[in-house]
Amino acid sequence: MIQKEIGWNTRAMAMRGPRDGIEPSTASCVLREFAECPECGRGIDPDVTDGLYEDRDVIWTNNRGRKSAAHTCENCGTELRMFVEEKAFGRIGPSQLPENAEDWEEVIFIPIEDSANYLVVNTNQFWVTPERPQPDSSKEQTTA
């Protein structure tokens, strides 16, 4: 699908990427625009500072030791674990745009302002799921 109306500064988004992989700020923008809470269907707005950059990807999960936290849905209160692969966001030139780009449902092509190039968001490359409770390691496990 080609999406021409988006609330991003597409030129600034196209210039991101001083490191390999996707940055938490970019991953947050992708989730804010294209993801929703799997429990209630509302849009989400993850805190960039809670995103953990790991192996070129970004994850939001309850891991205090790694300084990451799950996102809490503002509508239903569900804690959400979010994962954005580096392949979820990229740039392509006009020659790489598929002829049938309008028919693609899972991949969004966004024209970059003042450019012939496109931003690409692949919605198959990010996940939003309810956070699973982590076992409490401070309690002793007993067996009967």
Side-chain angles (χ1 to χ4, degrees):
M1 153 185 346
I2 296 179
Q3 183 168 339
K4 295 182 180 176
E5 297 296 321
I6 194 160
W8 295 349
N9 177 338
T10 55
R11 288 187 302 172
M13 292 291 284
M15 288 189 275
R16 291 189 178 191
R19 69 166 118 177
D20 291 335
I22 188 167
E23 294 189 16
S25 57
T26 303
S28 178
C29 288
V30 167
L31 291 171
R32 188 177 305 114
E33 189 70 32
F34 299 104
E36 58 187 32
C37 174
E39 296 295 313
C40 70
R42 284 283 184 90
I44 55 178
D45 187 10
D47 186 339
V48 174
T49 61
D50 289 335
L52 174 64
Y53 179 78
E54 185 174 87
D55 297 327
R56 304 170 59 101
D57 306 317
V58 179
I59 188 169
W60 281 261
T61 189
N62 286 332
N63 187 334
R64 299 199 199 305
R66 303 282 312 271
K67 296 184 180 171
S68 180
H71 172 71
T72 302
C73 176
E74 293 176 8
N75 186 56
C76 70
T78 301
E79 282 195 331
L80 303 173
R81 180 179 194 275
M82 300 177 290
F83 180 75
V84 182
E85 283 191 288
E86 71 169 316
K87 296 180 271 183
F89 181 80
R91 295 171 291 281
I92 62 169
S95 64
Q96 297 169 297
L97 184 69
E99 288 184 24
N100 62 344
E102 285 287 348
D103 299 332
W104 291 35
E105 293 183 21
E106 291 87 15
V107 180
I108 296 111
F109 302 94
I110 305 163
I112 298 172
E113 184 181 344
D114 299 330
S115 172
N117 298 325
Y118 292 82
L119 297 174
V120 180
V121 175
N122 186 336
T123 61
N124 289 316
Q125 302 300 321
F126 60 82
W127 298 269
V128 178
T129 59
E131 176 76 278
R132 293 186 195 137
Q134 302 297 317
D136 187 351
S137 60
S138 65
K139 292 182 182 177
E140 280 189 43
Q141 301 232 347
T142 59
T143 56

